mmCIF file of all heavy atoms in Angstrom:
data_model
loop_
_atom_site.group_PDB
_atom_site.id
_atom_site.type_symbol
_atom_site.label_atom_id
_atom_site.label_comp_id
_atom_site.label_asym_id
_atom_site.label_seq_id
_atom_site.Cartn_x
_atom_site.Cartn_y
_atom_site.Cartn_z
ATOM 1 N N GLY A 74 -58.605 8.120 53.910
ATOM 2 C CA GLY A 74 -59.663 8.892 54.563
ATOM 3 C C GLY A 74 -60.713 9.343 53.568
ATOM 4 O O GLY A 74 -61.916 9.257 53.811
ATOM 5 N N LEU A 75 -60.228 9.814 52.408
ATOM 6 C CA LEU A 75 -61.126 10.302 51.357
ATOM 7 C C LEU A 75 -62.019 9.173 50.841
ATOM 8 O O LEU A 75 -63.223 9.346 50.655
ATOM 9 C CB LEU A 75 -60.294 10.893 50.214
ATOM 10 C CG LEU A 75 -60.960 11.915 49.317
ATOM 11 C CD1 LEU A 75 -61.506 13.061 50.132
ATOM 12 C CD2 LEU A 75 -59.978 12.428 48.281
ATOM 13 N N ILE A 76 -61.406 7.982 50.647
ATOM 14 C CA ILE A 76 -62.192 6.845 50.148
ATOM 15 C C ILE A 76 -63.251 6.436 51.174
ATOM 16 O O ILE A 76 -64.414 6.208 50.827
ATOM 17 C CB ILE A 76 -61.258 5.666 49.784
ATOM 18 C CG1 ILE A 76 -60.458 6.045 48.533
ATOM 19 C CG2 ILE A 76 -62.048 4.386 49.541
ATOM 20 C CD1 ILE A 76 -59.370 5.085 48.160
ATOM 21 N N ILE A 77 -62.835 6.384 52.462
ATOM 22 C CA ILE A 77 -63.812 6.019 53.504
ATOM 23 C C ILE A 77 -64.947 7.045 53.563
ATOM 24 O O ILE A 77 -66.125 6.699 53.636
ATOM 25 C CB ILE A 77 -63.119 5.895 54.883
ATOM 26 C CG1 ILE A 77 -62.138 4.721 54.851
ATOM 27 C CG2 ILE A 77 -64.137 5.694 56.000
ATOM 28 C CD1 ILE A 77 -61.233 4.645 56.065
ATOM 29 N N LEU A 78 -64.580 8.335 53.481
ATOM 30 C CA LEU A 78 -65.588 9.403 53.528
ATOM 31 C C LEU A 78 -66.583 9.266 52.373
ATOM 32 O O LEU A 78 -67.800 9.268 52.580
ATOM 33 C CB LEU A 78 -64.907 10.781 53.478
ATOM 34 C CG LEU A 78 -65.848 11.976 53.435
ATOM 35 C CD1 LEU A 78 -66.512 12.198 54.783
ATOM 36 C CD2 LEU A 78 -65.119 13.241 53.011
ATOM 37 N N LEU A 79 -66.052 9.128 51.144
ATOM 38 C CA LEU A 79 -66.925 9.058 49.973
ATOM 39 C C LEU A 79 -67.776 7.797 49.993
ATOM 40 O O LEU A 79 -68.965 7.820 49.640
ATOM 41 C CB LEU A 79 -66.089 9.110 48.693
ATOM 42 C CG LEU A 79 -65.339 10.415 48.459
ATOM 43 C CD1 LEU A 79 -64.407 10.298 47.273
ATOM 44 C CD2 LEU A 79 -66.317 11.560 48.252
ATOM 45 N N LEU A 80 -67.165 6.688 50.440
ATOM 46 C CA LEU A 80 -67.904 5.428 50.511
ATOM 47 C C LEU A 80 -69.066 5.542 51.504
ATOM 48 O O LEU A 80 -70.200 5.162 51.206
ATOM 49 C CB LEU A 80 -66.939 4.309 50.938
ATOM 50 C CG LEU A 80 -67.286 2.882 50.521
ATOM 51 C CD1 LEU A 80 -67.349 2.758 49.013
ATOM 52 C CD2 LEU A 80 -66.258 1.904 51.077
ATOM 53 N N SER A 81 -68.777 6.116 52.680
ATOM 54 C CA SER A 81 -69.847 6.198 53.679
ATOM 55 C C SER A 81 -70.895 7.233 53.276
ATOM 56 O O SER A 81 -72.080 7.077 53.563
ATOM 57 C CB SER A 81 -69.277 6.496 55.070
ATOM 58 O OG SER A 81 -68.695 7.769 55.110
ATOM 59 N N MET A 82 -70.456 8.297 52.551
ATOM 60 C CA MET A 82 -71.453 9.255 52.063
ATOM 61 C C MET A 82 -72.350 8.599 51.022
ATOM 62 O O MET A 82 -73.565 8.799 51.023
ATOM 63 C CB MET A 82 -70.765 10.495 51.486
ATOM 64 C CG MET A 82 -70.322 11.469 52.561
ATOM 65 S SD MET A 82 -69.238 12.753 51.947
ATOM 66 C CE MET A 82 -70.356 13.619 50.879
ATOM 67 N N GLY A 83 -71.754 7.796 50.136
ATOM 68 C CA GLY A 83 -72.534 7.047 49.155
ATOM 69 C C GLY A 83 -73.493 6.087 49.837
ATOM 70 O O GLY A 83 -74.657 5.959 49.448
ATOM 71 N N MET A 84 -73.004 5.449 50.896
ATOM 72 C CA MET A 84 -73.850 4.497 51.614
ATOM 73 C C MET A 84 -75.029 5.202 52.275
ATOM 74 O O MET A 84 -76.136 4.659 52.355
ATOM 75 C CB MET A 84 -73.018 3.724 52.653
ATOM 76 C CG MET A 84 -72.276 2.556 52.029
ATOM 77 S SD MET A 84 -70.752 2.083 52.851
ATOM 78 C CE MET A 84 -71.302 1.443 54.371
ATOM 79 N N LYS A 85 -74.788 6.413 52.759
ATOM 80 C CA LYS A 85 -75.901 7.168 53.353
ATOM 81 C C LYS A 85 -76.961 7.493 52.298
ATOM 82 O O LYS A 85 -78.163 7.410 52.559
ATOM 83 C CB LYS A 85 -75.375 8.470 53.982
ATOM 84 C CG LYS A 85 -74.771 8.259 55.351
ATOM 85 C CD LYS A 85 -74.831 9.513 56.205
ATOM 86 C CE LYS A 85 -73.684 10.438 55.953
ATOM 87 N NZ LYS A 85 -73.618 11.559 56.893
ATOM 88 N N VAL A 86 -76.488 7.848 51.085
ATOM 89 C CA VAL A 86 -77.433 8.130 49.999
ATOM 90 C C VAL A 86 -78.187 6.854 49.632
ATOM 91 O O VAL A 86 -79.410 6.852 49.507
ATOM 92 C CB VAL A 86 -76.680 8.695 48.757
ATOM 93 C CG1 VAL A 86 -77.617 8.779 47.556
ATOM 94 C CG2 VAL A 86 -76.106 10.062 49.065
ATOM 95 N N GLY A 87 -77.457 5.734 49.499
ATOM 96 C CA GLY A 87 -78.064 4.483 49.065
ATOM 97 C C GLY A 87 -79.052 3.904 50.064
ATOM 98 O O GLY A 87 -80.026 3.255 49.689
ATOM 99 N N SER A 88 -78.796 4.154 51.364
ATOM 100 C CA SER A 88 -79.661 3.546 52.372
ATOM 101 C C SER A 88 -80.809 4.461 52.778
ATOM 102 O O SER A 88 -81.616 4.100 53.621
ATOM 103 C CB SER A 88 -78.827 3.183 53.615
ATOM 104 O OG SER A 88 -78.265 4.355 54.163
ATOM 105 N N ASN A 89 -80.874 5.662 52.170
ATOM 106 C CA ASN A 89 -81.917 6.608 52.563
ATOM 107 C C ASN A 89 -83.121 6.517 51.618
ATOM 108 O O ASN A 89 -83.034 6.910 50.456
ATOM 109 C CB ASN A 89 -81.345 8.029 52.545
ATOM 110 C CG ASN A 89 -82.282 9.029 53.186
ATOM 111 O OD1 ASN A 89 -83.485 8.982 52.966
ATOM 112 N ND2 ASN A 89 -81.728 9.921 53.972
ATOM 113 N N PRO A 90 -84.241 5.997 52.119
ATOM 114 C CA PRO A 90 -85.414 5.840 51.244
ATOM 115 C C PRO A 90 -85.928 7.176 50.720
ATOM 116 O O PRO A 90 -86.567 7.253 49.680
ATOM 117 C CB PRO A 90 -86.449 5.162 52.157
ATOM 118 C CG PRO A 90 -85.981 5.444 53.545
ATOM 119 C CD PRO A 90 -84.497 5.577 53.491
ATOM 120 N N LYS A 91 -85.639 8.268 51.458
ATOM 121 C CA LYS A 91 -86.085 9.588 51.041
ATOM 122 C C LYS A 91 -85.402 10.026 49.749
ATOM 123 O O LYS A 91 -85.947 10.816 48.985
ATOM 124 C CB LYS A 91 -85.755 10.603 52.141
ATOM 125 C CG LYS A 91 -86.992 11.310 52.624
ATOM 126 C CD LYS A 91 -86.678 12.421 53.570
ATOM 127 C CE LYS A 91 -87.834 13.378 53.600
ATOM 128 N NZ LYS A 91 -89.043 12.813 54.174
ATOM 129 N N ILE A 92 -84.177 9.526 49.523
ATOM 130 C CA ILE A 92 -83.474 9.904 48.301
ATOM 131 C C ILE A 92 -83.847 8.967 47.166
ATOM 132 O O ILE A 92 -84.375 9.397 46.140
ATOM 133 C CB ILE A 92 -81.949 9.906 48.533
ATOM 134 C CG1 ILE A 92 -81.591 10.926 49.617
ATOM 135 C CG2 ILE A 92 -81.227 10.243 47.231
ATOM 136 C CD1 ILE A 92 -80.139 10.932 50.003
ATOM 137 N N LEU A 93 -83.608 7.669 47.361
ATOM 138 C CA LEU A 93 -83.844 6.736 46.255
ATOM 139 C C LEU A 93 -85.327 6.598 45.940
ATOM 140 O O LEU A 93 -85.710 6.313 44.811
ATOM 141 C CB LEU A 93 -83.223 5.375 46.560
ATOM 142 C CG LEU A 93 -81.688 5.351 46.538
ATOM 143 C CD1 LEU A 93 -81.165 3.927 46.603
ATOM 144 C CD2 LEU A 93 -81.126 6.050 45.310
ATOM 145 N N GLY A 94 -86.196 6.829 46.928
ATOM 146 C CA GLY A 94 -87.625 6.729 46.684
ATOM 147 C C GLY A 94 -88.197 7.926 45.937
ATOM 148 O O GLY A 94 -89.322 7.905 45.469
ATOM 149 N N ASN A 95 -87.399 8.991 45.840
ATOM 150 C CA ASN A 95 -87.885 10.231 45.227
ATOM 151 C C ASN A 95 -87.188 10.566 43.919
ATOM 152 O O ASN A 95 -87.181 11.703 43.486
ATOM 153 C CB ASN A 95 -87.672 11.402 46.187
ATOM 154 C CG ASN A 95 -88.828 11.533 47.163
ATOM 155 O OD1 ASN A 95 -89.978 11.385 46.768
ATOM 156 N ND2 ASN A 95 -88.520 11.784 48.408
ATOM 157 N N LEU A 96 -86.563 9.551 43.312
ATOM 158 C CA LEU A 96 -85.764 9.874 42.136
ATOM 159 C C LEU A 96 -86.602 10.138 40.888
ATOM 160 O O LEU A 96 -86.071 10.378 39.821
ATOM 161 C CB LEU A 96 -84.730 8.779 41.873
ATOM 162 C CG LEU A 96 -83.519 8.864 42.813
ATOM 163 C CD1 LEU A 96 -82.448 7.859 42.415
ATOM 164 C CD2 LEU A 96 -82.924 10.260 42.847
ATOM 165 N N GLY A 97 -87.914 10.113 40.998
ATOM 166 C CA GLY A 97 -88.764 10.401 39.848
ATOM 167 C C GLY A 97 -88.815 11.878 39.537
ATOM 168 O O GLY A 97 -87.784 12.520 39.329
ATOM 169 N N ASN A 98 -89.994 12.426 39.545
ATOM 170 C CA ASN A 98 -90.218 13.826 39.187
ATOM 171 C C ASN A 98 -89.469 14.792 40.106
ATOM 172 O O ASN A 98 -88.769 15.693 39.653
ATOM 173 C CB ASN A 98 -91.725 14.101 39.237
ATOM 174 C CG ASN A 98 -92.040 15.446 38.608
ATOM 175 O OD1 ASN A 98 -91.340 15.862 37.700
ATOM 176 N ND2 ASN A 98 -93.068 16.097 39.100
ATOM 177 N N LEU A 99 -89.590 14.542 41.424
ATOM 178 C CA LEU A 99 -88.936 15.416 42.402
ATOM 179 C C LEU A 99 -87.418 15.363 42.240
ATOM 180 O O LEU A 99 -86.722 16.377 42.384
ATOM 181 C CB LEU A 99 -89.333 14.971 43.815
ATOM 182 C CG LEU A 99 -89.556 16.053 44.861
ATOM 183 C CD1 LEU A 99 -90.529 17.094 44.392
ATOM 184 C CD2 LEU A 99 -90.027 15.428 46.165
ATOM 185 N N GLY A 100 -86.912 14.181 41.906
ATOM 186 C CA GLY A 100 -85.476 14.017 41.699
ATOM 187 C C GLY A 100 -84.979 14.832 40.528
ATOM 188 O O GLY A 100 -83.917 15.458 40.598
ATOM 189 N N ILE A 101 -85.749 14.841 39.441
ATOM 190 C CA ILE A 101 -85.361 15.622 38.256
ATOM 191 C C ILE A 101 -85.361 17.111 38.599
ATOM 192 O O ILE A 101 -84.424 17.844 38.259
ATOM 193 C CB ILE A 101 -86.313 15.316 37.077
ATOM 194 C CG1 ILE A 101 -86.135 13.855 36.647
ATOM 195 C CG2 ILE A 101 -86.049 16.247 35.904
ATOM 196 C CD1 ILE A 101 -87.237 13.345 35.755
ATOM 197 N N GLN A 102 -86.415 17.560 39.300
ATOM 198 C CA GLN A 102 -86.464 18.970 39.708
ATOM 199 C C GLN A 102 -85.259 19.336 40.566
ATOM 200 O O GLN A 102 -84.630 20.368 40.371
ATOM 201 C CB GLN A 102 -87.748 19.229 40.505
ATOM 202 C CG GLN A 102 -89.011 19.120 39.678
ATOM 203 C CD GLN A 102 -90.225 19.595 40.439
ATOM 204 O OE1 GLN A 102 -90.198 19.736 41.653
ATOM 205 N NE2 GLN A 102 -91.309 19.843 39.716
ATOM 206 N N ALA A 103 -84.933 18.442 41.528
ATOM 207 C CA ALA A 103 -83.810 18.703 42.422
ATOM 208 C C ALA A 103 -82.505 18.757 41.639
ATOM 209 O O ALA A 103 -81.647 19.611 41.890
ATOM 210 C CB ALA A 103 -83.720 17.624 43.499
ATOM 211 N N PHE A 104 -82.366 17.870 40.664
ATOM 212 C CA PHE A 104 -81.142 17.856 39.869
ATOM 213 C C PHE A 104 -80.992 19.165 39.104
ATOM 214 O O PHE A 104 -79.898 19.749 39.060
ATOM 215 C CB PHE A 104 -81.152 16.664 38.892
ATOM 216 C CG PHE A 104 -79.868 16.553 38.125
ATOM 217 C CD1 PHE A 104 -78.778 15.898 38.677
ATOM 218 C CD2 PHE A 104 -79.742 17.126 36.867
ATOM 219 C CE1 PHE A 104 -77.581 15.820 37.982
ATOM 220 C CE2 PHE A 104 -78.550 17.057 36.164
ATOM 221 C CZ PHE A 104 -77.469 16.391 36.731
ATOM 222 N N ILE A 105 -82.098 19.648 38.508
ATOM 223 C CA ILE A 105 -82.038 20.911 37.754
ATOM 224 C C ILE A 105 -81.654 22.064 38.686
ATOM 225 O O ILE A 105 -80.778 22.879 38.362
ATOM 226 C CB ILE A 105 -83.396 21.179 37.060
ATOM 227 C CG1 ILE A 105 -83.647 20.110 35.979
ATOM 228 C CG2 ILE A 105 -83.435 22.578 36.440
ATOM 229 C CD1 ILE A 105 -85.032 20.141 35.379
ATOM 230 N N LEU A 106 -82.266 22.110 39.874
ATOM 231 C CA LEU A 106 -81.939 23.166 40.844
ATOM 232 C C LEU A 106 -80.456 23.109 41.239
ATOM 233 O O LEU A 106 -79.761 24.134 41.254
ATOM 234 C CB LEU A 106 -82.820 23.038 42.087
ATOM 235 C CG LEU A 106 -84.269 23.518 41.959
ATOM 236 C CD1 LEU A 106 -85.123 22.929 43.069
ATOM 237 C CD2 LEU A 106 -84.340 25.042 41.990
ATOM 238 N N ALA A 107 -79.981 21.897 41.537
ATOM 239 C CA ALA A 107 -78.580 21.756 41.969
ATOM 240 C C ALA A 107 -77.626 22.110 40.836
ATOM 241 O O ALA A 107 -76.637 22.833 41.027
ATOM 242 C CB ALA A 107 -78.320 20.329 42.451
ATOM 243 N N PHE A 108 -77.937 21.642 39.644
ATOM 244 C CA PHE A 108 -77.084 21.882 38.483
ATOM 245 C C PHE A 108 -76.948 23.375 38.196
ATOM 246 O O PHE A 108 -75.844 23.909 38.051
ATOM 247 C CB PHE A 108 -77.673 21.146 37.271
ATOM 248 C CG PHE A 108 -76.870 21.313 36.019
ATOM 249 C CD1 PHE A 108 -75.726 20.549 35.807
ATOM 250 C CD2 PHE A 108 -77.251 22.225 35.041
ATOM 251 C CE1 PHE A 108 -74.971 20.700 34.655
ATOM 252 C CE2 PHE A 108 -76.502 22.385 33.881
ATOM 253 C CZ PHE A 108 -75.371 21.616 33.685
ATOM 254 N N PHE A 109 -78.078 24.077 38.165
ATOM 255 C CA PHE A 109 -78.034 25.514 37.870
ATOM 256 C C PHE A 109 -77.324 26.292 38.977
ATOM 257 O O PHE A 109 -76.622 27.266 38.699
ATOM 258 C CB PHE A 109 -79.439 26.060 37.635
ATOM 259 C CG PHE A 109 -79.902 25.911 36.218
ATOM 260 C CD1 PHE A 109 -80.366 24.680 35.762
ATOM 261 C CD2 PHE A 109 -79.861 26.976 35.327
ATOM 262 C CE1 PHE A 109 -80.775 24.525 34.445
ATOM 263 C CE2 PHE A 109 -80.269 26.823 34.009
ATOM 264 C CZ PHE A 109 -80.726 25.593 33.570
ATOM 265 N N SER A 110 -77.528 25.880 40.237
ATOM 266 C CA SER A 110 -76.863 26.636 41.301
ATOM 267 C C SER A 110 -75.349 26.480 41.194
ATOM 268 O O SER A 110 -74.612 27.442 41.426
ATOM 269 C CB SER A 110 -77.383 26.223 42.678
ATOM 270 O OG SER A 110 -77.182 24.871 42.920
ATOM 271 N N ILE A 111 -74.889 25.303 40.799
ATOM 272 C CA ILE A 111 -73.444 25.109 40.653
ATOM 273 C C ILE A 111 -72.912 25.899 39.453
ATOM 274 O O ILE A 111 -71.923 26.633 39.564
ATOM 275 C CB ILE A 111 -73.109 23.604 40.519
ATOM 276 C CG1 ILE A 111 -73.281 22.927 41.878
ATOM 277 C CG2 ILE A 111 -71.685 23.413 39.992
ATOM 278 C CD1 ILE A 111 -72.954 21.459 41.893
ATOM 279 N N VAL A 112 -73.582 25.773 38.320
ATOM 280 C CA VAL A 112 -73.098 26.451 37.106
ATOM 281 C C VAL A 112 -73.007 27.963 37.330
ATOM 282 O O VAL A 112 -71.977 28.590 37.048
ATOM 283 C CB VAL A 112 -74.019 26.137 35.905
ATOM 284 C CG1 VAL A 112 -73.686 27.034 34.715
ATOM 285 C CG2 VAL A 112 -73.873 24.674 35.504
ATOM 286 N N PHE A 113 -74.046 28.560 37.899
ATOM 287 C CA PHE A 113 -74.025 30.015 38.077
ATOM 288 C C PHE A 113 -73.046 30.450 39.168
ATOM 289 O O PHE A 113 -72.450 31.519 39.065
ATOM 290 C CB PHE A 113 -75.436 30.550 38.316
ATOM 291 C CG PHE A 113 -76.197 30.722 37.036
ATOM 292 C CD1 PHE A 113 -76.805 29.633 36.418
ATOM 293 C CD2 PHE A 113 -76.269 31.965 36.413
ATOM 294 C CE1 PHE A 113 -77.479 29.774 35.215
ATOM 295 C CE2 PHE A 113 -76.953 32.114 35.207
ATOM 296 C CZ PHE A 113 -77.551 31.013 34.614
ATOM 297 N N SER A 114 -72.871 29.631 40.201
ATOM 298 C CA SER A 114 -71.864 29.964 41.216
ATOM 299 C C SER A 114 -70.481 30.023 40.576
ATOM 300 O O SER A 114 -69.705 30.949 40.821
ATOM 301 C CB SER A 114 -71.825 28.915 42.324
ATOM 302 O OG SER A 114 -73.056 28.814 42.960
ATOM 303 N N VAL A 115 -70.176 29.020 39.739
ATOM 304 C CA VAL A 115 -68.852 28.980 39.107
ATOM 305 C C VAL A 115 -68.681 30.185 38.188
ATOM 306 O O VAL A 115 -67.635 30.855 38.212
ATOM 307 C CB VAL A 115 -68.660 27.654 38.330
ATOM 308 C CG1 VAL A 115 -67.353 27.672 37.557
ATOM 309 C CG2 VAL A 115 -68.687 26.465 39.285
ATOM 310 N N ILE A 116 -69.717 30.502 37.406
ATOM 311 C CA ILE A 116 -69.634 31.654 36.500
ATOM 312 C C ILE A 116 -69.374 32.941 37.290
ATOM 313 O O ILE A 116 -68.492 33.731 36.937
ATOM 314 C CB ILE A 116 -70.938 31.792 35.662
ATOM 315 C CG1 ILE A 116 -71.039 30.620 34.669
ATOM 316 C CG2 ILE A 116 -70.968 33.130 34.920
ATOM 317 C CD1 ILE A 116 -72.351 30.550 33.930
ATOM 318 N N PHE A 117 -70.110 33.148 38.376
ATOM 319 C CA PHE A 117 -69.936 34.376 39.162
ATOM 320 C C PHE A 117 -68.534 34.455 39.761
ATOM 321 O O PHE A 117 -67.924 35.528 39.784
ATOM 322 C CB PHE A 117 -70.997 34.462 40.270
ATOM 323 C CG PHE A 117 -72.194 35.248 39.861
ATOM 324 C CD1 PHE A 117 -73.182 34.671 39.084
ATOM 325 C CD2 PHE A 117 -72.324 36.573 40.225
ATOM 326 C CE1 PHE A 117 -74.291 35.402 38.689
ATOM 327 C CE2 PHE A 117 -73.434 37.315 39.832
ATOM 328 C CZ PHE A 117 -74.412 36.725 39.063
ATOM 329 N N ILE A 118 -68.022 33.330 40.264
ATOM 330 C CA ILE A 118 -66.684 33.347 40.869
ATOM 331 C C ILE A 118 -65.624 33.637 39.819
ATOM 332 O O ILE A 118 -64.695 34.425 40.051
ATOM 333 C CB ILE A 118 -66.397 32.006 41.586
ATOM 334 C CG1 ILE A 118 -67.268 31.881 42.824
ATOM 335 C CG2 ILE A 118 -64.934 31.907 41.978
ATOM 336 C CD1 ILE A 118 -67.132 33.026 43.798
ATOM 337 N N ILE A 119 -65.749 33.038 38.642
ATOM 338 C CA ILE A 119 -64.759 33.290 37.589
ATOM 339 C C ILE A 119 -64.799 34.756 37.181
ATOM 340 O O ILE A 119 -63.760 35.407 37.015
ATOM 341 C CB ILE A 119 -65.010 32.347 36.393
ATOM 342 C CG1 ILE A 119 -64.640 30.925 36.804
ATOM 343 C CG2 ILE A 119 -64.196 32.781 35.180
ATOM 344 C CD1 ILE A 119 -65.010 29.873 35.795
ATOM 345 N N PHE A 120 -66.002 35.309 37.068
ATOM 346 C CA PHE A 120 -66.158 36.726 36.726
ATOM 347 C C PHE A 120 -65.518 37.616 37.803
ATOM 348 O O PHE A 120 -64.716 38.510 37.504
ATOM 349 C CB PHE A 120 -67.651 37.046 36.577
ATOM 350 C CG PHE A 120 -67.946 38.510 36.471
ATOM 351 C CD1 PHE A 120 -67.794 39.171 35.257
ATOM 352 C CD2 PHE A 120 -68.382 39.235 37.574
ATOM 353 C CE1 PHE A 120 -68.060 40.527 35.158
ATOM 354 C CE2 PHE A 120 -68.648 40.585 37.488
ATOM 355 C CZ PHE A 120 -68.490 41.237 36.269
ATOM 356 N N LEU A 121 -65.868 37.361 39.073
ATOM 357 C CA LEU A 121 -65.315 38.175 40.172
ATOM 358 C C LEU A 121 -63.798 38.051 40.230
ATOM 359 O O LEU A 121 -63.089 39.043 40.467
ATOM 360 C CB LEU A 121 -65.914 37.730 41.511
ATOM 361 C CG LEU A 121 -67.327 38.214 41.818
ATOM 362 C CD1 LEU A 121 -67.836 37.568 43.092
ATOM 363 C CD2 LEU A 121 -67.338 39.728 41.978
ATOM 364 N N ASP A 122 -63.297 36.843 39.991
ATOM 365 C CA ASP A 122 -61.854 36.631 40.045
ATOM 366 C C ASP A 122 -61.161 37.421 38.936
ATOM 367 O O ASP A 122 -60.140 38.055 39.151
ATOM 368 C CB ASP A 122 -61.548 35.135 39.906
ATOM 369 C CG ASP A 122 -60.058 34.873 40.018
ATOM 370 O OD1 ASP A 122 -59.403 35.579 40.814
ATOM 371 O OD2 ASP A 122 -59.541 33.983 39.324
ATOM 372 N N LYS A 123 -61.769 37.401 37.768
ATOM 373 C CA LYS A 123 -61.151 38.051 36.620
ATOM 374 C C LYS A 123 -61.094 39.566 36.793
ATOM 375 O O LYS A 123 -60.094 40.203 36.480
ATOM 376 C CB LYS A 123 -61.937 37.696 35.358
ATOM 377 C CG LYS A 123 -61.167 37.987 34.087
ATOM 378 C CD LYS A 123 -61.783 37.261 32.912
ATOM 379 C CE LYS A 123 -60.956 37.507 31.666
ATOM 380 N NZ LYS A 123 -61.540 36.903 30.485
ATOM 381 N N TYR A 124 -62.161 40.156 37.322
ATOM 382 C CA TYR A 124 -62.232 41.619 37.348
ATOM 383 C C TYR A 124 -61.945 42.242 38.706
ATOM 384 O O TYR A 124 -61.613 43.413 38.790
ATOM 385 C CB TYR A 124 -63.596 42.078 36.841
ATOM 386 C CG TYR A 124 -63.772 41.746 35.388
ATOM 387 C CD1 TYR A 124 -64.544 40.657 34.995
ATOM 388 C CD2 TYR A 124 -63.119 42.493 34.393
ATOM 389 C CE1 TYR A 124 -64.685 40.326 33.657
ATOM 390 C CE2 TYR A 124 -63.251 42.157 33.057
ATOM 391 C CZ TYR A 124 -64.044 41.075 32.689
ATOM 392 O OH TYR A 124 -64.157 40.748 31.376
ATOM 393 N N PHE A 125 -62.098 41.489 39.794
ATOM 394 C CA PHE A 125 -61.922 42.117 41.111
ATOM 395 C C PHE A 125 -60.868 41.444 41.996
ATOM 396 O O PHE A 125 -60.176 42.112 42.744
ATOM 397 C CB PHE A 125 -63.258 42.128 41.873
ATOM 398 C CG PHE A 125 -64.310 42.929 41.179
ATOM 399 C CD1 PHE A 125 -65.308 42.301 40.452
ATOM 400 C CD2 PHE A 125 -64.298 44.322 41.243
ATOM 401 C CE1 PHE A 125 -66.294 43.052 39.804
ATOM 402 C CE2 PHE A 125 -65.270 45.066 40.596
ATOM 403 C CZ PHE A 125 -66.263 44.428 39.879
ATOM 404 N N ILE A 126 -60.798 40.127 41.943
ATOM 405 C CA ILE A 126 -59.940 39.455 42.918
ATOM 406 C C ILE A 126 -58.549 39.191 42.355
ATOM 407 O O ILE A 126 -57.550 39.333 43.050
ATOM 408 C CB ILE A 126 -60.598 38.131 43.394
ATOM 409 C CG1 ILE A 126 -62.037 38.399 43.837
ATOM 410 C CG2 ILE A 126 -59.809 37.539 44.556
ATOM 411 C CD1 ILE A 126 -62.815 37.150 44.185
ATOM 412 N N ASN A 127 -58.487 38.787 41.093
ATOM 413 C CA ASN A 127 -57.209 38.533 40.421
ATOM 414 C C ASN A 127 -56.324 37.505 41.101
ATOM 415 O O ASN A 127 -55.128 37.704 41.268
ATOM 416 C CB ASN A 127 -56.403 39.845 40.266
ATOM 417 C CG ASN A 127 -57.112 40.820 39.369
ATOM 418 O OD1 ASN A 127 -57.716 40.409 38.383
ATOM 419 N ND2 ASN A 127 -57.060 42.086 39.711
ATOM 420 N N LEU A 128 -56.916 36.411 41.513
ATOM 421 C CA LEU A 128 -56.086 35.321 42.020
ATOM 422 C C LEU A 128 -55.424 34.580 40.871
ATOM 423 O O LEU A 128 -54.396 33.960 41.031
ATOM 424 C CB LEU A 128 -56.928 34.328 42.828
ATOM 425 C CG LEU A 128 -57.126 34.661 44.292
ATOM 426 C CD1 LEU A 128 -58.141 33.720 44.891
ATOM 427 C CD2 LEU A 128 -55.816 34.538 45.031
#
Side-chain angles (χ1 to χ4, degrees):
Chain A
L75 204 56
I76 290 172
I77 294 170
L78 176 73
L79 295 172
L80 206 60
S81 66
M82 280 168 66
M84 277 152 68
K85 279 206 275 188
V86 171
S88 61
N89 191 318
K91 238 187 159 67
I92 299 175
L93 290 190
N95 274 319
L96 282 186
N98 191 31
L99 217 53
I101 294 165
Q102 292 189 344
F104 184 84
I105 294 171
L106 284 161
F108 180 80
F109 274 79
S110 59
I111 287 181
V112 169
F113 279 80
S114 300
V115 174
I116 291 172
F117 266 80
I118 291 304
I119 290 172
F120 170 81
L121 282 174
D122 182 36
K123 196 163 183 183
Y124 294 102
F125 298 102
I126 309 174
N127 296 322
L128 274 171

